[in-house]
Amino acid sequence: MTNLLSRFAKDESGATAIEYGLIAGLISVAIIGVLGTVGTNLTSKFQAVADALGGGAAGSGS
């Protein structure tokens, strides 16, 4: 039983999987933040183009 516990304590394969999971999570958070910013910038650019073309607010029904 002691041998089993010492092997379990020395096994680092689970730690590696957790580290990869944390890295993937951080990358996902960074991507979500960047895409949110890019989406906002694209929306404002498309609105500026629509205003320049005289379209006003797209989908406003007027």
Side-chain angles (χ1 to χ4, degrees), residues 1-17:
M1 185 63 149
T2 307
N3 186 21
L4 179 65
L5 289 176
S6 68
R7 280 190 304 162
F8 178 72
K10 292 179 183 177
D11 185 18
E12 295 185 3
S13 62
T16 303

Side-chain angles (χ1 to χ4, degrees), residues 33-53:
V34 168
L35 289 179
T37 303
V38 169
T40 303
N41 290 340
L42 279 176
T43 301
S44 64
K45 291 292 182 186
F46 279 120
Q47 188 61 47
V49 170
D51 290 341
L53 294 174

